[in-house]
Amino acid sequence: MKHKIVFLFFFILSHFSFLLAQNRTISGYIIDSRSSEPLISASVFDEQSVKGTVSNHAGYYSITLPQGKISLRCSYVGYVIAQAEFTLSQDTIVNISMQSATELHEVVVSASRREFGVQGSQMGAIDVPIEQIKNIPTLFGEADLIKALQLLPGVQSGTEGSAGMYVRGGGPDENLLLIDGVPVYNVNHMFGFFSVFNPDAVKNVTLYKGNFPARFGGRLSSVVDIRLNDGDMQEYHGNITVGLISAKFNVEGPIIKDKLSFNVSGRRTYADVLLKPAMWIISAVQTDSKIDAGYYFYDLNAKLTYKISDADRLILSHYMGDDAIYANMRYKETSSLMGTDSEKMKLKWKWGNIVTSLRWNRVVSPKLFMNASLNYTQYRYNLGLGNEIIYQDANNQQNNRFQEFQMSYKSGIRDGTAKVEFDYAPTPNHDIKFGGGYTFHEFRPDVQTMKLDATGNYVQKIDTTMGNPTVYANEMAVYIEDNMTLGSIFKMNVGLHYSTFAVQNEFYHSLQPRLSMRALITQNFSVKAGYAYMSQYIHMLSNSSVSLPTDLWVPVTARIKPMNSHQISTGLFYEFTNLLDLSVEGYYKTMNNLIEYKDGASFWGNSTGWEDKVNMGRGWAYGIECLAQRSYGKTTGWIGYTWSKSERLFDREGEMINNGVKFPAKYDRRHDVSITVNHKFSERIDVSVTWVYCTGNTGTLGLQQYTGLEEQQVEFEENSYLYAPELSYISSRNNYRYNPYHRLDLGVNFHKKYKKFGSRTWNIGVYNMYNQKNPFLIYTSYRDSYDGNGNYYSTKVLKQLSIFPIIPSVSYTFRF
Amino acid sequence: MKKIFVYILGILLLCTACETVIEFKGDFIAPMLVLNSTIQPNSNLKVKLTRSRFFLSQDDFTTPAGSKVELWVNGVYKELLTQVNDSFVSINYRVQIGDSIQVRASAPTFTNVISDIVVIKQPALVEMSEPKFVSVEEPFIYYSRYNEEEESWDPMIMKQNTKLVTYIDITDPELNKRNYFRLKVSGVEVVVEDNDTVRSPIYARIEYDDVVFGNSVSNDFEIIEQSRNSYGLFSDELFANKTYRIKVEIDNVSFYEIIPPSSYSDLYNEVTIILEHVDYPYYMYYKTLDVANSGGVIMTEPVQIYSNIQNGIGIICTSVPTAKTIKVSQQY
């Protein structure tokens, strides 16, 4: 049956050509007028034929229209509408140059979320303007892309302050985060409190949380498509920001005007640098010991765009980022009586990503656009620890001792991908995308080495390497999708994604149909529905709530099957022209072969026997998401509300969790509200406010205590007694709900434009303005009390740990 | 300067992030009856009955007043168990292999609880090989006392670590059925002096590194985590319907006082290896207890301890032990 569908699909496509006789194609790039930066998802619409399209990730568009009079209208959020009228008689290249509204000091900027809003067939997706992301007040004033996405309906954060994403009831490893089309495996800095994406380097962010177009695959729950700035082809400019915990810069400009541009962004925290004086003081005060320790993270984004010709472009983009903890300690004590005792310790702990992509964009014909790419991505984690002890006894050489110890731990994942994709617009009613790719995965699970060389009064030599062998896997995917217009009312995106995964003598494959449909009831109101089947071949072994560098990606095995999900969704979309976009979406998702840790199991970087620590089961997630978004005028932002439920069932023979009874997922939350408002009071001042409220997370508590079986115990020293342990009775997993989470953040920007050169912005922010003590962790403990009569007693209490109180922040940005 | 001030303020505020005592707002679960018993064949049934308590309470685990425990065997009522402190004992009936045992307990204001089990057979412990020492450390001074006359420290108690290996052969006790076992060890030091024998418990520990114990090797070089099987549990998954030879390594620690050798006539250790054929509830109870005990890491999923008491908590299970004792001469 599946083969018949594929055949029918290609049969229809092959017969388009005869329909094209009276049509001509308009194509070209849509660019920013000042920087020549391509604009992604800009809308091109012919008012005569009422047909439209949007630009792709390279800013390229192609629309095939009947010959005759054309009234072309191009719109993009934050830009002034560009319009052109002409008579179409032959294939025509129209490069559209759009002017930023800010540049013209215009207030009313028309835009359209055509593809994701009322007009488009796509649902469950949203573009978040990067300027809005930068303005959202955040922890320590660090603008954060993932934290901005967490404010959208259907997306939840993990614990307080974390950059983990849980989309429509899925887990954190079910999100595909792409930088210029290349996956990033570890998206967190500082144990998950910040994400690796530097907003200064980002041009466009699109989040898909359902109804995935066929070009995406490999994860169950979401796709975050992040596109980096290409670089200004006309002039040099940039910015420098100094914030509370980090400093960053962004520079871009032409290397060869209108031919070759660059864009470089960097960010680094400097807590370690600021702590250096403290280290020096400690070292100076304690003459016998020296210490140098610190933590930092950095990101570096670089991109070169070379315009070979009007038809060809080469783009080389690179990202690298690391977190690092280091410590060097020395201790030396010398006395004439005892001798010399010295010790050195060195710790180097580093983890991070490298993502590189070389793309070739070619306009093969006005109707056909090609994007070929070679991609490389890796996540690596290295821990090195060394220790040297020298003891020289002044009185007895037999007591002399020398010990040198070195230990290392390494793990990671590396992918190499070759991919080619095409955009083909044969008729006004069809926008076809097809392509395929091959990925070679190298999973490097944990490898530990240890070397010990001890001589003197204690002799021991160890030189050993342990760990798991590298696992190689081959993944292949092909897809085809057609975004087709069926009359003036219906539009649908229908596609197929086929993928294979070969690993260790196992071969898995999956044919995944995708469908999105729209019925345009009025020009401002549409109804949409869709279906997506997704498959995922890799898992992340993680210790739940906090992102740790030890999180390890592993492939499916003979026993652990690929995860898959079916998602159906439907929605209503309404647009108040130039005022507000409203949407209400409902979804129902089933997930299969999910993995969950067994009771008591944990993962701390050792993948040995990981299959024995997890069980496979099923999951359900369903909910309703409401979004009112305003992208125009002085006041922008959104109000989002989500009602959702996410459940798990692990009832397979030998794979039971919670006695085979359904239980709520870890981040199952019934209500989630977020309000984000940015108001521009003047050219000099704008204010952003964010308020979030959500139902508390679930956790597992033993609500009754009881005694277990008695057993004879023998202590180390000749004691034998009967002992019955005190145990906790846990009625079910995730049986307790934490207190609700809510928080208000505020950010104020003070801008000033210097007459001679550049401009500056002071940003003052307050995170958690009313100092709400939100739950990070709940546990039982004891509280000592005094009864006033000389008696102290201890009572057992429930305690909540909160980690982020009110936190002010300030940053300074200079733009030139 | 202003920036430094802001920095200090930020750090101070961060430090105020703290723990607070919160009110429990979840669903309350009423206290339940707790039944615990390890039944052994050819013996009287002894069941411990207590009550559970709210997790924030510090009440004692008492036996509810007016509690009753009934014994039913193979569907027939046998007797009302007699209360002895917090336990209830069958006076007349001795449990037999193959019995279907049902224990029913009730107490005023508590929901009645029931537990059903079948008493299992004894495993066939075919043979135990002669133990061999694989490592003997030199005794070292564990405790010494200052001798004022000699102005020196006199050793009083010595400690010696030894490791011995033995093999035991086990046959599958019940064919075509998954069987569960527990292997444990106990040790005593025996001092025979003037026709008087003194037996003191000593520390002995099995290293469960045979494959049947699963991934239980505590590798010294595992930097980040260690797995465990501290109760020595295993199943016949790997040797169903066959005879299997288990390698048993025993760490034996002896403490002995420095006394003149002539003052006693014999001194040796007795190491008893106990192989228990246990039922599924016993196996699951200790398996889950083992996992729960190995926790302590905040982010591990809490463990649901296995229970087979309907409407209540606890465990009623059977264990049929077979023991072999070996004499281990002290090596010093």
Side-chain angles (χ1 to χ4, degrees):
Chain A
M1 184 61 195
K2 285 174 181 172
H3 296 293
K4 282 182 183 171
I5 294 168
V6 176
F7 175 77
L8 188 64
F9 204 87
F10 282 99
F11 178 80
I12 293 167
L13 289 181
S14 65
H15 285 72
F16 279 141
S17 54
F18 78 91
L19 299 169
L20 311 183
Q22 301 303 313
N23 295 328
R24 293 289 178 263
T25 301
I26 306 168
S27 62
Y29 284 93
I30 303 172
I31 56 169
D32 178 287
S33 61
R34 197 170 61 92
S35 64
S36 300
E37 185 80 37
L39 301 177
I40 300 168
S41 297
S43 171
V44 180
F45 188 71
D46 173 38
E47 288 173 341
Q48 297 293 326
S49 61
V50 203
K51 305 285 185 209
T53 189
V54 290
S55 58
N56 67 10
H57 60 83
Y60 183 79
Y61 77 97
S62 173
I63 182 167
T64 301
L65 298 169
Q67 291 185 47
K69 195 180 174 193
I70 298 292
S71 297
L72 214 56
R73 187 174 181 269
C74 183
S75 59
Y76 188 71
V77 176
Y79 284 77
V80 179
I81 292 171
Q83 281 181 305
E85 289 196 0
F86 54 93
T87 303
L88 183 66
S89 56
Q90 59 184 0
D91 288 352
T92 307
I93 294 172
V94 180
N95 288 326
I96 302 169
S97 182
M98 299 191 71
Q99 268 188 303
S100 164
T102 322
E103 209 177 307
L104 292 181
H105 307 294
E106 296 233 350
V107 173
V108 180
V109 181
S110 183
S112 174
R113 294 159 60 220
R114 282 193 183 279
E115 198 45 35
F116 306 141
V118 172
Q119 300 285 336
S121 57
Q122 180 67 48
M123 63 182 295
I126 190 164
D127 263 336
V128 186
I130 194 68
E131 284 309 316
Q132 220 160 31
I133 290 173
K134 285 179 186 172
N135 282 331
I136 290 171
T138 48
L139 184 62
F140 297 116
E142 278 295 308
D144 194 296
L145 194 151
I146 299 291
K147 289 210 177 73
L149 295 180
Q150 287 171 352
L151 298 171
L152 295 169
V155 185
Q156 293 178 339
S157 59
T159 48
E160 161 91 274
S162 104
M165 263 191 7
Y166 299 79
V167 181
R168 289 189 171 176
D173 63 342
E174 296 170 20
N175 307 310
L176 179 64
L177 288 111
L178 302 167
I179 288 186
D180 277 341
V182 191
V184 186
Y185 282 102
N186 186 326
V187 298
N188 297 303
H189 279 311
M190 209 187 257
F191 307 102
F193 294 122
F194 302 101
S195 74
V196 299
F197 308 107
N198 178 356
D200 282 347
V202 175
K203 174 165 67 177
N204 189 275
V205 184
T206 308
L207 166 72
Y208 297 87
K209 47 192 178 174
N211 294 102
F212 304 96
R215 59 186 179 278
F216 297 118
R219 300 289 191 282
L220 297 194
S221 291
S222 81
V223 177
V224 182
D225 191 9
I226 298 158
R227 298 285 166 175
L228 302 180
N229 282 317
D230 285 347
D232 197 323
M233 286 274 182
Q234 305 298 326
E235 56 188 46
Y236 297 99
H237 54 89
N239 63 63
I240 297 168
T241 301
V242 181
L244 201 58
I245 64 162
S246 76
K248 52 192 175 185
F249 75 93
N250 174 240
V251 188
E252 60 180 313
I255 296 171
I256 304 168
K257 211 167 184 179
D258 264 337
K259 204 77 178 159
L260 178 63
S261 71
F262 75 93
N263 189 315
V264 180
S265 302
R267 171 171 67 160
R268 193 194 188 279
T269 56
Y270 44 67
D272 58 323
V273 179
L274 296 175
L275 282 173
K276 284 259 188 246
M279 299 289 172
W280 293 332
I281 291 166
I282 292 169
S283 299
V285 171
Q286 297 185 340
T287 51
D288 53 359
S289 63
K290 306 279 178 204
I291 185 167
D292 179 24
Y295 164 83
Y296 67 89
F297 71 75
Y298 77 89
D299 296 304
L300 182 70
N301 293 87
K303 197 165 180 179
L304 284 175
T305 305
Y306 181 47
K307 209 165 138 186
I308 303 167
S309 67
D310 283 344
D312 296 279
R313 283 175 194 221
L314 265 186
I315 300 123
L316 177 66
S317 65
H318 179 77
Y319 164 80
M320 62 187 292
D322 279 312
D323 286 57
I325 295 173
Y326 61 91
N328 295 305
M329 281 179 260
R330 276 186 299 162
Y331 167 81
K332 191 171 184 180
E333 190 179 6
T334 307
S335 78
S336 54
L337 278 176
M338 300 296 291
T340 305
D341 187 4
S342 74
E343 187 169 352
K344 288 180 195 169
M345 199 279 279
K346 194 171 186 177
L347 168 74
K348 199 174 177 186
W349 191 5
K350 206 170 182 184
W351 62 97
N353 298 286
I354 292 177
V355 178
T356 302
S357 155
L358 177 64
R359 283 188 290 142
W360 173 31
N361 289 347
R362 178 171 174 75
V363 180
V364 182
S365 76
K367 292 189 180 73
L368 186 65
F369 178 87
M370 183 193 76
N371 174 45
S373 60
L374 289 172
N375 306 323
Y376 174 81
T377 181
Q378 79 160 39
Y379 169 67
R380 75 262 192 258
Y381 165 80
N382 296 326
L383 169 65
L385 183 65
N387 174 261
E388 187 187 274
I389 299 170
I390 300 170
Y391 177 68
Q392 289 172 314
D393 195 316
N395 306 311
N396 186 355
Q397 281 197 349
Q398 283 191 334
N399 288 335
N400 285 359
R401 186 180 165 203
F402 170 79
Q403 181 182 306
E404 190 179 3
F405 168 77
Q406 284 180 335
M407 184 277 279
S408 75
Y409 174 93
K410 292 181 178 180
S411 70
I413 179 172
R414 289 199 288 195
D415 289 356
T417 302
K419 201 159 66 169
V420 61
E421 297 168 300
F422 295 93
D423 289 5
Y424 180 52
T427 73
N429 296 329
H430 294 273
D431 182 5
I432 298 164
K433 293 181 197 296
F434 60 97
Y438 163 79
T439 301
F440 178 72
H441 296 279
E442 183 188 280
F443 298 91
R444 289 179 300 155
D446 49 298
V447 176
Q448 303 162 26
T449 61
M450 181 181 274
K451 206 171 175 181
L452 176 67
D453 187 359
T455 55
N457 67 349
Y458 169 73
V459 179
Q460 192 171 13
K461 280 190 191 296
I462 298 169
D463 189 352
T464 184
T465 301
M466 287 160 301
N468 292 298
T470 301
V471 178
Y472 301 100
N474 298 282
E475 186 173 7
M476 192 274 292
V478 289
Y479 70 88
I480 184 165
E481 63 177 81
D482 184 6
N483 197 13
M484 59 178 93
T485 307
L486 307 168
S488 59
I489 295 176
F490 294 104
K491 192 173 183 181
M492 67 162 68
N493 187 320
V494 58
L496 281 173
H497 181 101
Y498 176 71
S499 62
T500 65
F501 194 84
V503 59
Q504 292 180 321
N505 301 322
E506 293 297 321
F507 179 79
Y508 294 104
H509 67 112
S510 159
L511 182 66
Q512 301 158 36
R514 315 281 173 80
L515 176 69
S516 269
M517 291 184 297
R518 177 220 67 186
L520 191 66
I521 310 299
T522 71
Q523 281 304 305
N524 291 337
F525 177 52
S526 66
V527 180
K528 298 185 190 182
Y531 164 79
Y533 175 62
M534 303 295 281
S535 206
Q536 180 169 337
Y537 301 107
I538 55 176
H539 297 281
M540 186 174 71
L541 301 179
S542 167
N543 211 307
S544 64
S545 51
V546 177
S547 169
L548 293 171
T550 50
D551 293 351
L552 194 65
W553 289 90
V554 289
V556 290
T557 64
R559 202 184 116 195
I560 305 295
K561 307 290 182 204
M563 297 191 284
N564 55 62
S565 71
H566 298 270
Q567 185 178 165
I568 53 169
S569 50
T570 185
L572 304 173
F573 293 76
Y574 190 85
E575 180 183 330
F576 291 96
T577 309
N578 287 347
L579 182 67
L580 210 60
D581 292 313
L582 297 177
S583 64
V584 179
E585 295 185 39
Y587 66 91
Y588 182 84
K589 183 159 80 170
T590 62
M591 296 162 277
N592 199 17
N593 297 336
L594 297 179
I595 62 170
E596 188 99 10
Y597 284 102
K598 292 177 179 175
D599 283 352
S602 67
F603 171 77
W604 290 95
N606 186 341
S607 66
T608 305
W610 71 269
E611 289 173 84
D612 296 326
K613 294 180 181 177
V614 297
N615 284 339
M616 280 201 297
R618 291 174 285 163
W620 292 265
Y622 46 94
I624 294 171
E625 298 163 1
C626 306
L627 178 68
Q629 187 182 18
R630 183 178 161 85
S631 311
Y632 334 108
K634 284 185 173 179
T635 307
T636 57
W638 65 81
I639 299 172
Y641 169 74
T642 307
W643 181 95
S644 63
K645 201 165 183 181
S646 183
E647 296 171 313
R648 299 285 184 268
L649 177 64
F650 287 71
D651 62 347
R652 296 175 194 174
E653 187 65 33
E655 302 263 352
M656 277 193 200
I657 292 177
N658 198 41
N659 301 317
V661 177
K662 257 188 195 178
F663 61 93
K666 177 107 186 136
Y667 296 101
D668 169 55
R669 292 178 191 148
R670 208 61 68 240
H671 306 282
D672 202 332
V673 181
S674 59
I675 300 172
T676 298
V677 179
N678 177 263
H679 184 75
K680 194 171 178 178
F681 285 97
S682 70
E683 286 304 310
R684 294 175 64 98
I685 298 177
D686 59 75
V687 176
S688 295
V689 179
T690 299
W691 184 72
V692 292
Y693 172 92
C694 56
T695 308
N697 286 333
T698 59
T700 307
L701 274 183
L703 301 180
Q704 290 280 310
Q705 295 292 109
Y706 68 104
T707 50
L709 274 178
E710 278 183 340
E711 191 167 47
Q712 200 78 23
Q713 301 284 314
V714 180
E715 273 192 353
F716 202 66
E717 290 179 64
E718 303 186 10
N719 249 331
S720 177
Y721 57 93
L722 272 176
Y723 170 73
E726 184 179 328
L727 306 173
S728 285
Y729 169 69
I730 295 167
S731 53
S732 68
R733 188 176 272 208
N734 296 337
N735 59 350
Y736 182 73
R737 201 166 279 284
Y738 288 16
N739 288 333
Y741 179 98
H742 53 101
R743 194 188 79 227
L744 178 74
D745 306 331
L746 174 74
V748 186
N749 288 319
F750 299 96
H751 308 281
K752 186 176 181 183
K753 201 164 186 177
Y754 296 114
K755 285 177 184 171
K756 287 183 180 173
F757 180 65
S759 64
R760 62 102 176 114
T761 300
W762 277 103
N763 172 274
I764 293 171
V766 185
Y767 179 87
N768 194 6
M769 261 193 95
Y770 50 82
N771 197 24
Q772 173 64 23
K773 285 178 180 160
N774 285 307
F776 180 75
L777 193 69
I778 283 179
Y779 56 96
T780 52
S781 183
Y782 286 89
R783 180 172 61 182
D784 293 328
S785 306
Y786 178 65
D787 66 0
N789 298 317
N791 300 316
Y792 288 92
Y793 60 98
S794 185
T795 46
K796 204 171 178 186
V797 291
L798 195 59
K799 282 188 175 177
Q800 170 186 292
L801 183 75
S802 309
I803 56 169
F804 291 126
I806 178 170
I807 296 177
S809 65
V810 63
S811 70
Y812 173 84
T813 302
F814 179 74
R815 290 185 189 82
F816 55 92
Chain B
M1 184 62 199
K2 280 179 186 171
K3 198 168 162 211
I4 292 170
F5 176 74
V6 171
Y7 237 110
I8 293 166
L9 185 66
I11 291 166
L12 286 174
L13 286 168
L14 185 64
C15 292
T16 62
C18 60
E19 56 177 24
T20 45
V21 174
I22 57 168
E23 189 187 340
F24 174 76
K25 288 179 183 170
D27 297 329
F28 282 88
I29 295 177
M32 290 179 276
L33 291 179
V34 180
L35 283 179
N36 282 306
S37 175
T38 307
I39 300 171
Q40 296 191 343
N42 306 316
S43 61
N44 292 55
L45 178 69
K46 185 181 177 188
V47 178
K48 191 169 177 181
L49 175 66
T50 52
R51 52 169 289 170
S52 68
R53 68 175 186 217
F54 180 58
F55 77 111
L56 295 177
S57 154
Q58 285 168 277
D59 296 344
D60 291 333
F61 297 111
T62 53
T63 302
S67 298
K68 288 179 184 173
V69 181
E70 293 176 3
L71 169 65
W72 293 64
V73 179
N74 301 325
V76 178
Y77 172 74
K78 286 290 176 189
E79 64 177 284
L80 185 69
L81 302 189
T82 306
Q83 183 171 1
V84 181
N85 299 323
D86 59 358
S87 296
F88 290 77
V89 183
S90 67
I91 301 297
N92 303 317
Y93 191 79
R94 289 169 72 85
V95 175
Q96 303 300 313
I97 286 170
D99 277 355
S100 286
I101 302 283
Q102 186 177 75
V103 178
R104 299 179 183 183
S106 61
T109 74
F110 287 87
T111 308
N112 295 352
V113 298
I114 297 175
S115 184
D116 290 284
I117 56 149
V118 175
V119 181
I120 55 174
K121 291 179 185 171
Q122 196 157 18
L125 181 62
V126 175
E127 196 178 325
M128 181 182 295
S129 71
E130 190 61 32
K132 288 182 181 170
F133 286 97
V134 289
S135 121
V136 180
E137 288 181 12
E138 285 293 312
F140 58 91
I141 300 165
Y142 184 71
Y143 174 72
S144 53
R145 190 169 54 193
Y146 189 68
N147 186 332
E148 289 181 0
E149 287 178 11
E150 300 286 329
E151 293 186 345
S152 65
W153 290 89
D154 291 342
M156 300 300 293
I157 297 178
M158 303 296 286
K159 183 183 173 188
Q160 185 181 34
N161 298 326
T162 54
K163 180 178 276 191
L164 55 130
V165 169
T166 185
Y167 294 90
I168 58 173
D169 292 332
I170 174 175
T171 53
D172 198 348
E174 291 181 81
L175 302 181
N176 304 317
K177 186 188 159 201
R178 177 59 43 83
N179 291 281
Y180 302 94
F181 304 92
R182 180 178 177 189
L183 189 68
K184 57 186 184 184
V185 64
S186 67
V188 288
E189 184 186 62
V190 183
V191 179
V192 183
E193 194 178 358
D194 299 334
N195 296 324
D196 186 18
T197 302
V198 179
R199 305 169 72 87
S200 317
I202 57 162
Y203 179 78
R205 184 179 73 94
I206 293 178
E207 286 190 11
Y208 301 107
D209 62 352
D210 193 283
V211 67
V212 296
F213 296 106
N215 181 29
S216 64
V217 182
S218 293
N219 191 323
D220 291 340
F221 306 129
E222 280 187 4
I223 296 155
I224 295 169
E225 66 178 324
Q226 292 187 342
S227 51
R228 49 190 282 162
N229 182 354
S230 53
Y231 291 105
L233 298 160
F234 63 101
S235 76
D236 62 358
E237 191 177 357
L238 294 179
F239 60 91
N241 306 338
K242 291 174 191 162
T243 298
Y244 185 76
R245 169 164 283 200
I246 298 175
K247 181 186 175 192
V248 182
E249 284 190 8
I250 301 162
D251 282 333
N252 178 26
V253 180
S254 304
F255 294 90
Y256 52 91
E257 291 180 38
I258 301 294
I259 44 178
S262 56
S263 68
Y264 55 83
S265 53
D266 204 358
L267 173 65
Y268 58 90
N269 286 355
E270 272 180 4
V271 175
T272 303
I273 296 173
I274 305 152
L275 178 70
E276 289 179 283
H277 182 207
V278 299
D279 58 6
Y280 182 72
Y282 183 107
Y283 176 82
M284 285 305 295
Y285 169 77
Y286 277 108
K287 265 279 175 196
T288 50
L289 185 62
D290 192 26
V291 178
N293 290 343
S294 67
V297 179
I298 291 169
M299 282 162 272
T300 54
E301 279 297 334
V303 180
Q304 288 175 292
I305 303 291
Y306 185 86
S307 167
N308 64 348
I309 313 296
Q310 291 174 43
N311 304 322
I313 329 174
I315 190 83
I316 293 198
C317 53
T318 63
S319 153
V320 190
T322 307
K324 292 269 183 180
T325 300
I326 49 180
K327 185 177 172 181
V328 182
S329 300
Q330 291 192 355
Q331 295 295 299
Y332 56 89

